């Protein structure tokens, strides 16, 4: 029986939940998007002033509530606007409601007031306003900070990713938007401070309410009013600015190869996915990962069984094995590592490298907070080398760059440093997830500032949250929605996941890091479908095997490892990202549409006949249900292409 085609929403993003852009509102030279209670992309004459302003409510694990909005009133006038609404955030045991009012004036100024009243005692990690400044024209540029005591200090937004808060006790921030025009953001109702959102891969600087030196989570008492406001004021001339030319396509320029080569690409292997990965060996062999990052955690009773499984996967795929070791003991870590080394020897698993991280470093540390108990890292690394002589040693974090930046490791004792990333820590809408790619180069530059020339590795990473260092667990997602800090991420199964993965890998490739690992073979972070307890729309109806679109990105790029990188630039890499390399058979060019709209692309500098294949909504069924034949279905292509939403193009031309 033939399976019905998936809906367009499932093919694109793996969920039927809509993710539509908000309504554009205008006031004089200012435009802003109203999106489910938040303001996004506040611009003056097309130049972004603020990435977002929103009144947010977060649970005790830092998960962000999606408010239920009612009584929404929007009045767009000729040169000004107003918005008002009522919002409720609830779960079975607690509830809070707030009223908001927004006014945009013809001078381009804005006021956003919020008043919240808990209906019950309400446990929260943060409730109040958040203001996001963008990175372009901001990172490394001057800012004037007015503090709550009235002091005014001239400073700069940090260029390197600041591990703690760049500015504390904030009342107002002023920066130059364009020559002759400044914007002042005044924050009232509490004491605000700023953190560098790039730590978590967000493309922004975040100014937020309630200083982190205060305890969290905390409880808002029922009936206890929380009242705050944000005021944006422009000063100077708003003339100038730039506007994108309507209808202009994106140009991809191809250059000549240099000395650098494409880095090896691997996959993570969660211990719980070993059996499923073995069942999918044929597809895993076709994916051809260069290495496998094998997780070992004694707290989960991992032992010989898991090591034997890792051996099978490594030997059958030909991938090198990297053992990712959680070290449980604070005092007897040397004996613990030696026992593990003896088990590895007994299992026959051949290791190319190990990565060691103490249990204490698995959880987040707030700025100024004490580091959890852990062995001295120099002693831990010496013990690891003694237990695993001749094996490359990595150290760093199994969680976000934030933790590496705040708990910096002695890189001189290591053969490489590592961390993972997650793009859904603070926001889970499609545009915010894609925007996180902007922050990644800053992370590498910052890491280089303290690890020097020590090789640097990233992963295993994906859109879904591998582990939540900020809370007890990752966020449940029974309804298959876009949710922050969840492992059950629906876009992993859609075209979005493939486009994001290509953008992610291409961005890191250009930074010169040593290696990149992604997700897993199977499971919530996987590239190959398997039956699971959580819903996987359309895939669950299939009778045979299947892969996700991202499978083809991984299986293609693994084969390119070691080939000469070819300079490839996009005239707008926030819309279309690219990556190219040259082997004996010619040049391979990858393109990814990072947007929900069609993008017209012109390729320049490509020589010879152009062949390729598109991973898009038209080819979705064949790509996911017949991966072997899909990878053979190349056809002649032209240098003028139209990329459908979240499409990935794999192109080849002879030189």
């Amino acid at each position: 029986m033939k399976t019905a085609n998936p809906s367009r929403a499932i093919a694109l993003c793996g969920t039927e939940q809509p993710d539509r852009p908000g309504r554009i509102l205008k006031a004089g030279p200012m435009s802003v998007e109203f999106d489910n209670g938040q303001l996004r992309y506040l611009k003056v004459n097309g130049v972004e002033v603020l990435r977002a302003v929103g009144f947010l409510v977060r649970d005790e694990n830092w998960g962000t509530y999606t408010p239920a909005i009612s009584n929404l009133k929007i009045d767009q006038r000729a040169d000004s606007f107003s918005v008002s609404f009522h919002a409720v955030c609830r779960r079975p045991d607690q509830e809070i409601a707030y009223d908001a009012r927004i006014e945009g004036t013809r001078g381009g100024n804005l006021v956003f007031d919020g008043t919240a009243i808990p209906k019950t005692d309400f446990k929260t990690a943060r409730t109040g306003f958040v203001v996001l400044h963008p990175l372009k024209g901001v990172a490394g540029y001057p800012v004037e900070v007015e503090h709550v005591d009235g002091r005014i200090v001239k400073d700069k937004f940090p260029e390197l990713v600041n591990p703690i808060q760049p500015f504390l006790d904030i009342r107002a921030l002023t920066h130059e938007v364009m020559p002759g025009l400044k914007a002042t953001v005044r924050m009232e109702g509490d004491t605000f401070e700023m953190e560098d959102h790039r730590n978590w891969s967000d493309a922004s600087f975040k100014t937020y309410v309630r200083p982190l030196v205060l305890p969290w989570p905390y409880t808002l008492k029922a009936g206890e009013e929380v009242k705050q406001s944000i005021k944006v004021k422009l000063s100077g001339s708003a003339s100038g600015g730039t506007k994108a030319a309507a209808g202009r396509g994106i140009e991809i320029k191809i250059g000549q190869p240099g000395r650098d080569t494409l880095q090896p690409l691997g996959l993570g292997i969660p211990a719980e996915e070993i059996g499923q990965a073995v069942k999918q060996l044929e597809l895993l062999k076709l994916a051809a990962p260069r290495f496998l990052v094998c997780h070992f955690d004694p707290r989960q009773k991992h032992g010989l069984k898991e090591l034997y499984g890792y051996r099978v996967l490594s030997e059958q795929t030909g991938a090198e094995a990297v053992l990712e070791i959680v070290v449980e003991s604070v005092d007897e870590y040397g004996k613990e590592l030696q026992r593990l080394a003896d088990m590895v020897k007994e299992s026959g698993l051949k290791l190319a490298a190990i990565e060691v991280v103490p249990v204490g470093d698995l959880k987040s540390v707030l700025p100024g907070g004490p580091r959890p108990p852990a062995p001295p890292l120099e002693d831990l690394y010496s013990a690891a080398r003694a237990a695993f002589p001749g094996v490359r040693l990595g150290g760093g974090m199994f969680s976000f760059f934030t933790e590496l930046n705040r708990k910096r490791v002695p890189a001189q004792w290591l053969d490489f440093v590592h961390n993972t990333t997650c793009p859904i820590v603070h926001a889970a809408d499609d545009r915010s997830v894609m925007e996180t790619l902007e922050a990644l180069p800053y992370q590498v530059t910052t890491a280089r500032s303290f690890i020097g020339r020590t090789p640097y590795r990233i992963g295993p990473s994906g859109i879904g949250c591998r582990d939540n260092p900020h809370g007890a667990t990752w966020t449940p997602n029974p309804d298959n929605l876009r949710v922050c800090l969840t492992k059950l991420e629906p876009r992993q199964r859609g075209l979005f996941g493939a486009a994001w993965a290509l953008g992610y890998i291409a961005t890191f490739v250009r930074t010169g890091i040593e290696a990149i690992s992604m997700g897993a073979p199977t499971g919530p972070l996987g590239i190959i479908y398997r039956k699971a307890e959580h819903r996987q729309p359309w895939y669950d109806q299939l009778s045979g095997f299947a892969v996700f679109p991202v499978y083809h990105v991984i299986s293609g790029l693994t084969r390119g490892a070691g080939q000469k990188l070819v300079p490839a630039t996009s005239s707008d890499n926030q819309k279309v990202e690219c990556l190219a390399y040259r082997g004996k058979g010619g040049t391979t060019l990858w393109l990814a549409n990072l947007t929900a709209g069609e993008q017209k692309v012109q390729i320049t500098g490509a020589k010879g006949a152009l062949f390729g294949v598109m991973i898009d909504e038209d080819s979705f069924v064949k790509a996911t249900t017949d991966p072997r034949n899909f990878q053979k279905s190349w056809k002649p292509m032209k240098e003028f292409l139209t990329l459908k939403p979240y499409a990935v193009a794999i192109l080849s031309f002879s030189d």
Side-chain angles (χ1 to χ4, degrees), residues 156-376:
K156 287 185 176 182
F157 286 97
E159 190 162 355
L160 296 179
V161 183
N162 193 308
I164 54 176
Q165 302 100 318
F167 309 119
L168 302 172
D169 303 325
I170 301 169
R171 180 60 66 227
L173 298 167
T174 301
H175 79 286
E176 189 173 64
V177 177
M178 62 183 74
L181 179 69
K182 291 185 176 182
T184 297
V185 184
R186 181 166 294 276
M187 294 151 277
E188 298 177 341
D190 206 330
T191 297
F192 287 73
E193 62 189 28
M194 178 187 289
E195 65 188 8
D196 197 328
H197 239 193
R198 296 174 295 177
N199 277 295
W200 296 270
S201 304
D202 299 79
S204 59
F205 296 98
K206 181 174 74 174
T207 306
Y208 55 91
V209 75
R210 188 171 168 96
L212 290 177
V213 295
L214 298 176
W216 65 270
Y218 58 100
T219 299
L220 296 172
K221 296 296 183 182
E224 181 180 285
E225 184 179 83
V226 177
K227 189 172 184 178
Q228 301 167 14
S229 70
I230 303 296
K231 300 176 181 178
V232 182
K233 183 178 180 179
L234 303 179
S235 59
S237 173
S239 61
T242 58
K243 292 185 178 180
R248 181 178 296 175
I250 293 171
E251 183 180 13
I252 305 295
K253 290 185 178 180
I254 309 299
Q256 295 299 313
R259 295 182 178 180
D260 294 334
T261 58
L262 182 65
Q263 296 93 324
L265 184 65
L267 287 172
I269 305 286
E272 64 271 19
E273 295 297 329
I274 294 173
Q276 294 292 336
V278 170
K279 291 179 182 178
Q280 300 290 354
L281 262 178
E282 290 306 310
L283 286 171
L284 187 54
K285 288 179 182 179
L286 183 62
R290 293 302 180 100
F291 60 98
L292 301 174
V293 181
C294 308
H295 191 67
F296 190 95
D297 187 345
R299 299 172 305 164
Q300 304 301 321
K301 309 301 181 185
H302 295 167
L304 270 173
K305 177 183 176 181
E306 285 75 20
L307 295 173
Y308 281 127
Y310 292 141
R311 173 185 172 181
V312 170
L313 291 170
S314 175
E315 291 180 348
Q316 290 296 313
T317 61
E320 293 185 337
V322 177
L323 193 60
E324 191 181 61
I325 305 167
V326 174
V327 179
E328 186 175 20
S329 176
V330 175
D331 301 313
E332 301 293 328
Y333 50 87
K335 293 180 180 178
E336 179 182 334
L337 286 166
Q338 188 57 58
R339 286 195 299 270
L340 175 56
D342 292 341
M343 279 195 290
V344 169
K345 184 176 182 180
E346 182 179 352
S347 73
L349 174 64
K350 305 298 182 185
L351 295 178
I354 60 171
E355 300 172 353
V356 294
V357 172
V359 166
D361 282 347
L362 298 181
K363 290 301 178 183
S364 175
V365 171
L366 290 178
R371 190 165 180 164

Side-chain angles (χ1 to χ4, degrees), residues 82-210:
S82 64
V83 179
S84 63
F85 61 90
H86 181 74
V88 177
C89 299
R90 65 165 65 92
R91 67 187 193 192
D93 59 338
Q94 59 183 42
E95 178 180 332
I96 191 170
Y98 62 91
D99 291 293
R101 183 165 182 83
I102 306 167
E103 292 282 348
T105 67
R106 64 182 180 180
N109 301 322
L110 181 135
V111 177
F112 193 160
D113 295 320
T115 302
I117 299 178
K119 302 299 183 184
T120 65
D121 285 357
F122 192 84
K123 198 170 186 180
T124 179
R126 176 174 298 146
T127 293
F129 273 111
V130 168
V131 177
L132 304 183
H133 282 77
L135 301 182
K136 186 177 181 181
V138 175
Y141 283 76
V143 62
E144 187 176 272
V145 183
E146 179 182 338
H147 293 282
V148 294
D149 61 3
R151 290 179 301 118
I152 297 177
V153 178
K154 293 184 178 181
D155 211 314
K156 287 185 176 182
F157 286 97
E159 190 162 355
L160 296 179
V161 183
N162 193 308
I164 54 176
Q165 302 100 318
F167 309 119
L168 302 172
D169 303 325
I170 301 169
R171 180 60 66 227
L173 298 167
T174 301
H175 79 286
E176 189 173 64
V177 177
M178 62 183 74
L181 179 69
K182 291 185 176 182
T184 297
V185 184
R186 181 166 294 276
M187 294 151 277
E188 298 177 341
D190 206 330
T191 297
F192 287 73
E193 62 189 28
M194 178 187 289
E195 65 188 8
D196 197 328
H197 239 193
R198 296 174 295 177
N199 277 295
W200 296 270
S201 304
D202 299 79
S204 59
F205 296 98
K206 181 174 74 174
T207 306
Y208 55 91
V209 75
R210 188 171 168 96

Side-chain angles (χ1 to χ4, degrees), residues 368-647:
R371 190 165 180 164
L377 291 183
E378 292 89 343
D379 295 343
L380 176 64
Y381 297 156
S382 293
R385 289 198 186 277
F388 296 90
V391 178
R392 293 190 75 207
L393 174 64
M397 298 294 151
F398 295 155
S399 56
F400 311 148
F401 175 78
T402 321
E403 306 314 316
L404 180 67
N405 203 16
R406 289 178 177 174
K407 297 175 281 191
R408 300 182 176 186
V409 298
Q412 68 273 18
W413 289 74
L414 297 167
D415 297 312
F416 62 91
V417 175
H418 58 83
N419 66 265
T420 70
T421 70
C422 173
I424 56 170
V425 176
H426 295 112
D429 64 278
D430 294 344
R431 286 177 296 174
S432 292
V433 172
M434 286 299 186
E435 286 166 359
T436 61
L437 301 178
E438 297 176 44
L440 302 179
Y442 291 101
Q443 292 184 354
V444 177
T445 301
T446 304
R448 284 273 166 240
S449 73
F450 59 84
I451 70 172
R453 296 184 178 182
T454 303
Y456 186 32
R457 291 185 166 204
I458 294 294
S461 301
I463 301 176
C465 181
R466 184 175 184 238
D467 186 38
N468 179 11
H470 303 298
T473 183
W474 42 267
T475 306
N477 189 14
D479 297 322
N480 194 47
L481 304 177
R482 296 170 175 86
V483 179
C484 290
L485 289 171
T486 186
K487 184 182 288 187
L488 305 181
E489 165 55 54
R491 285 164 294 196
Q492 180 71 14
R493 304 186 295 270
L495 294 163
F496 185 103
W500 179 85
L502 181 60
Y504 185 87
I505 295 167
T507 300
F508 271 124
V509 161
R510 287 192 289 269
T511 67
I513 64 174
E514 182 181 75
I516 304 165
S517 56
M518 304 294 290
T522 57
L525 305 175
I527 61 175
I528 303 168
Y529 166 75
R530 70 163 174 84
K531 295 284 186 182
E533 293 182 0
H534 62 279
R535 290 192 305 114
Q536 300 173 87
W538 185 72
Y539 289 95
D540 287 338
Q541 302 171 23
L542 300 176
S543 57
F545 65 84
V547 302
F548 304 139
V550 65
Y551 176 91
H552 298 286
V553 175
I554 303 301
S555 64
L557 292 177
T558 55
R559 289 172 170 77
Q563 296 187 21
K564 296 286 187 182
L565 286 171
V566 175
T569 58
S570 169
S571 60
D572 189 346
N573 68 354
Q574 292 183 18
K575 291 182 177 177
V576 176
E577 187 55 280
C578 56
L579 175 63
Y581 45 86
R582 182 179 296 177
K584 294 180 180 179
T587 297
T588 300
L589 170 65
W590 292 77
L591 303 175
N593 180 358
L594 306 181
T595 75
E598 287 191 351
Q599 298 295 337
K600 296 185 182 301
V601 173
Q602 178 183 1
I603 302 169
T604 60
K607 300 177 182 178
L610 194 64
F611 291 85
V613 64
M614 287 276 194
I615 309 171
D616 61 16
E617 54 195 279
D618 293 336
S619 63
F620 180 86
V621 173
K622 186 172 182 62
T624 54
T625 61
D626 191 10
R628 284 188 178 276
N629 287 322
F630 176 77
Q631 293 189 0
K632 300 174 184 177
S633 60
W634 289 45
K635 62 182 180 181
M637 307 286 275
K638 296 181 179 180
E639 62 271 19
F640 293 94
L641 300 172
T642 297
L643 298 178
K644 292 192 172 185
Y646 304 125

